[in-house]
Amino acid sequence: MDKPNELIQTPQPPLVEPKILQQLSEEVVLSPSYLVLMGMAGILSAIALLTNSIPILIGSMIIAASKNLDKPTHQ
C-alpha cells in the first residue's frame, strides 16, 4: 500500500448480483395483510417496552415472523 486511501478507492464487487435484485423486485408485493401484521407487531412492541413485559415483546416478534405464513409459495 503506497497510499493510505488505497483501500477506500479500490472498487469492490457488489454484495448481491443485479440479476437477483431484479428478480426480487419483480416478486415483491405490499399486501394489506402484511401491513396489518406489521402494525400489530409494532403496537405490541411499543406496549411491551412501556410495560416492561418480555412475553408481550416475544409475542410481537412471533407476529412479525408470521408474515410469511399467508404467502403462497411458487417455484
Side-chain angles (χ1 to χ4, degrees):
M1 283 191 241
D2 299 329
K3 301 176 186 176
N5 293 331
E6 184 176 332
L7 287 177
I8 295 173
Q9 296 173 354
T10 305
Q12 300 294 319
L15 295 176
V16 180
E17 294 292 325
K19 178 181 170 184
I20 294 173
L21 289 176
Q22 178 66 29
Q23 180 183 4
L24 287 175
S25 67
E26 292 171 359
E27 294 178 4
V28 171
V29 176
L30 186 62
S31 67
S33 63
Y34 173 80
L35 294 174
V36 168
L37 286 174
M38 291 302 107
M40 287 174 41
I43 291 169
L44 277 178
S45 297
I47 291 170
L49 292 175
L50 293 173
T51 61
N52 200 19
S53 175
I54 300 300
I56 296 176
L57 184 61
I58 293 171
S60 70
M61 290 188 290
I62 291 171
I63 290 174
S66 69
K67 66 181 175 56
N68 291 325
L69 294 179
D70 64 345
K71 182 187 276 188
T73 58
H74 62 283
Q75 302 269 339

